[in-house]
Amino acid sequence: MTAIDLSSPVAVVGTGTMGQGIAQVALVAGHPVRLYDTVPGRAQDAADAIGARLDRLVEKDRLTAADRDAARARLRPAEALADLADCALVVEAVLERLDVKQELFRELEGVVGEDCLLATNTSSLSVTAIGGALANPGRLVGLHFFNPAPLLPLVEVVSGFATDVTSATRAYETARAWGKTPVACADTPGFIVNRIARPFYAEAFAVYEAQGADPATIDAVLRECGGFRMGAFELTDLIGQDVNESVTHSVWQSFFQDVRFAPSLAQRRLVESGRLGRKSGHGWYDYAADAESAEPHTAEKAAQPAYVVAEGDLGPASELLALIREAGIPVREEDEDHGTRLVLPSGGQLALADGQTSVEFRDVVYFDLALDYRRATRIALSASQDTSPGTLTEAIGLFQALGKDVSVIGDIPGMIVARTVARVVDLAHDAVAKGVATEEDIDTAMRLGVNYPLGPFEWSRRLGRNWAYALLDDLHLRDPSGRYAPSLALYRHAYASDKREGSTS
């Protein structure tokens, strides 16, 4: 099944920001486009707004004047649903209410031809449930664009339980013909991105709620150590706390209140207080003109240790050994079958976050996972009240000698980046095992949809097959609520690796 022919009209119902964006994408691709809205005058206003954006594209040399004029000629407001009768595709972008969407598609079925493809841009409702009201649910598919639709390349093509394969394929090929990067997924709560991205927000909020660190420090660690483009607090302020919490709550409810997707009480209080982020002038951060910028906690300068002893290769943090030597600090290596730590001159130990807590051991400082230890500009350290001040000082001095800012957080198992990445990896493996999407499409969706520096499976391969499972298993022992219980899919992934390596454990 090929893409919809460019000569065939495409309709967009609902002319808000997302509807206008989708209409612009189809229009620039070459289709005649019809705009419809139930509120009189809105379709014309939307057409005018799209025309203004086309003018700006011409000014920026991203569109020729001739192409703009041709696109404008193909754009037409519709006064009634009956004006959409000859459309080959109708994309719905109306209010996120199941009854509203069902009623719209029932009306459309009586207007458009039998071969017209129907699509919903829902981000939180079930495509299957929307299609359940139709006489022919097989032609309904989800086309979930990301805002702003003209700029962001990802489109999730969602197949409901009753969606025909030909309909999904046609929608997929049409999105690709429009210059987008489509990914195919089953109709599951949150689809790909909004399902697998939940831990990015949830774990940051959990560290904050446990008084492990303040928002500015957590955000700085996610950016400067984890390689994420934005931290969770600044990103949700940009999205809108009400919008982000609504998606989280919808996914949680749709999964029958699965604890892995539980909303944050701290975010609930923020929404209740009206602090919705940038749009209200205050969220996690204050956006008033005279507000002081929130700064992350950064440790004072400390002396570097005279040497370190490396027990084992440090696993995913093995790159640190070369960086330490380059900084002029001698590294003494000792072969240890199970050692993955550094021993400092004081006798204290420095270990990569593994899901355990510092207070459990005699004198251990944990450091967080980094996307790239060489390029990272900040490292988080975690210590308990029983950690020797000398050990913590040596740990701080060591990373400062490597040119890193250091943030000391509370004794949080799994710290910030490590627990976030481990949970994202786990949800990704679980999604593949349940037929939601392929590994390749999940990696593509998370890179393009939320700008992750790596897809979950890219991360998994880099960190080792057993890394995420081991960290979550340790976290689960310390928080047996089920939030961190590794999925069966991740267990099988880790155990299969052990069997191939001849392990009998």
Side-chain angles (χ1 to χ4, degrees):
M1 178 65 67
T2 59
I4 293 171
D5 190 90
L6 290 180
S7 64
S8 300
V10 170
V12 177
V13 179
T15 58
T17 300
M18 185 58 76
Q20 291 180 31
I22 296 170
Q24 182 178 327
V25 170
L27 190 65
V28 172
H31 287 277
V33 172
R34 313 275 170 76
L35 290 171
Y36 176 74
D37 199 292
T38 56
V39 179
R42 278 194 182 173
Q44 183 60 60
D45 291 343
D48 293 340
I50 293 170
R53 284 197 290 273
L54 295 180
D55 288 340
R56 289 194 290 273
L57 291 178
V58 172
E59 292 169 3
K60 296 177 181 179
D61 292 326
R62 296 178 183 173
L63 189 70
T64 68
D67 285 342
R68 174 200 58 196
D69 294 342
R72 277 182 165 172
R74 293 194 301 271
L75 181 61
R76 193 180 85 193
E79 295 183 0
L81 280 182
D83 295 338
L84 313 183
D86 63 340
C87 289
L89 166 65
V90 179
V91 183
E92 164 273 313
V94 301
L95 188 66
E96 281 287 276
R97 274 180 44 186
L98 179 61
D99 59 334
V100 172
K101 293 179 187 290
Q102 287 179 329
E103 178 59 30
L104 170 63
F105 281 115
R106 276 195 294 261
E107 290 183 42
L108 282 170
E109 273 196 311
V111 171
V112 300
E114 293 182 0
D115 59 346
C116 177
L117 184 64
L118 301 178
T120 173
N121 184 59
T122 184
S123 61
S124 60
L125 299 176
S126 165
V127 174
T128 301
I130 294 171
L134 303 184
N136 178 17
R139 62 168 162 174
L140 179 73
V141 65
L143 274 180
H144 181 215
F145 288 78
F146 288 74
N147 192 31
L151 297 180
L152 295 185
L154 184 69
V155 177
E156 292 177 321
V157 181
V158 186
S159 292
F161 187 78
T163 301
D164 292 334
V165 173
T166 53
S167 298
T169 303
R170 194 178 184 200
Y172 184 98
E173 293 301 332
T174 297
R176 186 158 62 177
W178 290 357
K180 296 301 180 181
T181 302
V183 292
C185 65
D187 183 22
T188 184
F191 308 142
I192 297 175
V193 172
N194 281 329
R195 172 180 177 148
I196 295 174
R198 295 335 314 149
F200 178 75
Y201 313 108
E203 294 312 308
F205 299 161
V207 173
Y208 168 76
E209 290 174 336
Q211 300 186 58
D214 60 276
T217 298
I218 296 169
D219 278 354
V221 172
L222 286 168
R223 288 193 315 269
E224 301 170 36
C225 182
F228 293 94
R229 185 168 297 184
M230 298 180 74
F233 296 90
E234 58 187 336
L235 180 55
T236 52
D237 266 359
L238 179 63
I239 294 169
Q241 298 302 331
D242 52 340
V243 174
N244 181 261
E245 193 213 24
S246 176
V247 173
T248 299
H249 196 270
S250 174
V251 172
W252 175 61
Q253 289 283 21
S254 297
F255 276 113
F256 307 105
Q257 300 186 356
D258 186 331
V259 68
R260 296 177 302 163
F261 301 100
S264 160
L265 180 59
Q267 188 181 39
R268 176 90 290 262
R269 293 291 177 257
L270 205 65
V271 173
E272 289 174 339
S273 70
R275 294 186 171 185
L276 306 181
R278 288 182 178 272
K279 63 186 178 183
S280 69
H282 204 305
W284 295 110
Y285 300 110
D286 187 349
Y287 297 96
D290 58 350
E292 292 186 11
S293 177
E295 297 295 331
H297 166 76
T298 302
E300 297 292 331
K301 184 67 177 176
Q304 68 184 50
Y307 66 89
V308 297
V309 178
E311 295 185 350
D313 64 3
L314 298 187
S318 59
E319 184 181 22
L320 281 175
L321 297 179
L323 298 180
I324 294 170
R325 291 189 178 96
E326 291 170 16
I329 300 174
V331 178
R332 304 173 187 173
E333 295 194 49
E334 293 184 1
D335 292 331
E336 292 285 340
D337 289 341
H338 302 289
T340 55
R341 59 193 176 184
L342 295 173
V343 180
L344 300 165
S346 63
Q349 299 172 8
L350 190 58
L352 176 63
D354 59 6
Q356 302 181 86
T357 56
S358 180
V359 75
E360 299 172 52
F361 303 97
R362 183 178 62 83
D363 199 12
V364 170
V365 173
Y366 279 107
F367 63 93
D368 210 347
L369 177 70
L371 173 69
D372 183 331
Y373 283 99
R374 183 173 294 278
R375 295 184 179 181
T377 57
R378 182 177 299 271
I379 295 292
L381 301 180
S382 176
S384 75
Q385 66 271 22
D386 296 331
T387 303
S388 162
T391 295
L392 181 57
T393 298
E394 287 179 334
I396 292 170
L398 174 63
F399 281 103
Q400 287 175 340
L402 307 186
K404 318 298 183 187
D405 288 328
V406 176
S407 292
V408 180
I409 70 170
D411 191 13
I412 302 294
M415 300 191 69
I416 298 171
V417 179
R419 71 196 292 178
T420 299
V421 171
R423 288 208 59 215
V424 167
V425 167
D426 182 43
L427 289 186
H429 278 280
D430 185 53
V432 169
K434 291 176 178 174
V436 173
T438 65
E439 291 186 9
E440 181 181 3
D441 275 356
I442 288 175
D443 276 354
T444 297
M446 302 313 291
R447 285 197 314 270
L448 299 183
V450 278
N451 289 311
Y452 282 8
L454 294 174
F457 293 98
E458 292 173 311
W459 240 317
S460 184
R461 288 188 290 271
R462 176 185 288 199
L463 296 170
R465 294 177 64 91
N466 192 54
W467 178 84
Y469 175 81
L471 188 143
L472 290 176
D473 196 39
D474 277 335
L475 263 172
H476 178 54
L477 288 174
R478 287 150 187 83
D479 179 359
S481 65
R483 177 189 182 102
Y484 300 104
S487 66
L488 180 59
L490 191 65
Y491 172 81
R492 285 172 171 158
H493 178 75
Y495 182 69
S497 173
D498 287 342
K499 286 188 67 176
R500 280 195 292 275
E501 293 166 4
S503 171
T504 57
S505 60

